[in-house]
Amino acid sequence: MLFRSIPAYCAAKWDGKAWAGLALGLNNAVNALAVDNSGNLYVGGSFATTPDGNRVNNVAKWDGTAWSPLGSGVSGAIYGCVLDDAGGLYVGGDFSVAGGGSANCVARWNGRGWASLGSGLNNPVHSLVLDRSGNLYAGGDFTTAGGVRASFVAKWDGHAWSPLGELHNKLTALALDNETGTLCAGGFLPVLSSRFGAPFGNKHVAAWNGSYWYPLPDLGDHVYALLVGSSQTLYAGCGTVLAQLEDSGWSGLRIYGSPQSEFGPAIDAIIEDCSGRLYIGGAFLALDGIGANSIAVRSGDRWSALGSGLNGQVRALALSPSGKLYVAGTFTTAGAKVSPFLAEADVTALDVPTLACPTNQTVEFNSAAGSVAFFTPTLSVSCFGSVEIVCVPPSGSTFPIGTNMVRCTATNSAGNGSQCEFTVTVLGPRQVKNCETSMFAVVGPVALFVGNGSDGAFADLLVVSKADLPGAQTTARQLRDMLSDYVRSGGDAPLEGGK
């Protein structure tokens, strides 16, 4: 792919075809990202200022137009961040002050100011995750949490820290399965080690079931990132593979070397969108037989690069509700555009809305024109932005007697779409036999049919309102006599009731 040279100050944007200049960016490495429901981007790292020279101290907010500080920031590097349901931002890293107050390696921004979480942790935090109850889990280098012994992982319940069992080496990644409550942990070194008496040997990944840690099949490699994706699939980003845990063990996609990481090739970030597309970032040059510089996306079983990618390591990825993929790390260019440490990719072009039509409908006619039919197609998959759904004919139309085709189309802001079809069949006149002594309950309009031959074919249709009939119930003989008068008059006889 070829790119024109477009100067950009500290950032670039990929629009599905090429990276372009974008006016955002920071003056040093970005390690952590989070996006709220309004699309605001929160970034953490080891930067000091924004492009306009405002001091932000390692953490800042981008609203799509401008940067703003979060108070006076924090005193050291941030390695992980996560947003809670109230809009509060938790950050973890290697710092001792947040907003001018003491906060050891972890703190929370509530939109107005910073707060410590008890006495914090005694060494850096590398990963943070939240469960559905609002409990915060931290993993890192620390050995105490809130003054209590905690072996590299601990839980904050909003009031106090508590340890979670015993791990043997520092953690680089955490991931939570919110369906089961299982917490997964991974490390650069084995988190369960035979050196410390682990009965199952060295394991780089382990899972916490609420009572104890148990080993997962070993990867034999450093673990930099973990994700519990759709269908509760566990992914691990390692030094040489992207691994996926299956019933038979790990299966892996191999990545190939890069001089951009001090530890060689690595996958440092994994995220998934609502369609199941998987995005990975790290320090690599190729995967699955394709060139992909530090970033790639999997749709179905197919991997693809995002343009010509980035020239350095990707450390964090985040998706906005509108389909913006934010990319952070130590790179300085994106698609050959000047873009230190932060870039944006518009991935709406990857999204194809999936539309499901209702089942075929069959309705009775209620007038000579046919019948009105109502229906609602279902948008089963659409991750980003708005989707327009158009059906021809639209719901609420009057459909004539017979079988009618309805075609519905869903189109998103990127112009991608899908179609589905179904039929609306309106039933017309049908012969009624052996009804000489039957009783007809009259509710609303009653359709009466005139036969004109021995084969029972219907040549005429008469719709009689309830007010035209002699009573709430009318016998078939009365209806027949009314029709006889109608037919003899050539269709001009008044309806005066049956005999």
Side-chain angles (χ1 to χ4, degrees), residues 3 140 268:
F3 299 89
D268 298 283

Side-chain angles (χ1 to χ4, degrees), residues 273-277 320-323 351 381-385:
D273 67 23
C274 72
S275 293
R277 281 183 294 269
S320 77
S322 63
D351 196 34
V381 177
S382 181
C383 284
F384 310 124

Side-chain angles (χ1 to χ4, degrees), residues 236-260:
C238 305
T240 57
V241 295
L242 170 69
Q244 176 178 330
L245 186 59
E246 300 172 343
D247 291 341
S248 59
W250 294 97
S251 63
L253 169 75
R254 184 164 295 278
I255 62 172
Y256 297 93
S258 171
Q260 301 153 0

Side-chain angles (χ1 to χ4, degrees), residues 138-153:
D141 296 358
F142 54 86
T143 55
T144 64
V148 177
R149 175 178 169 79
S151 299
F152 311 111
V153 61

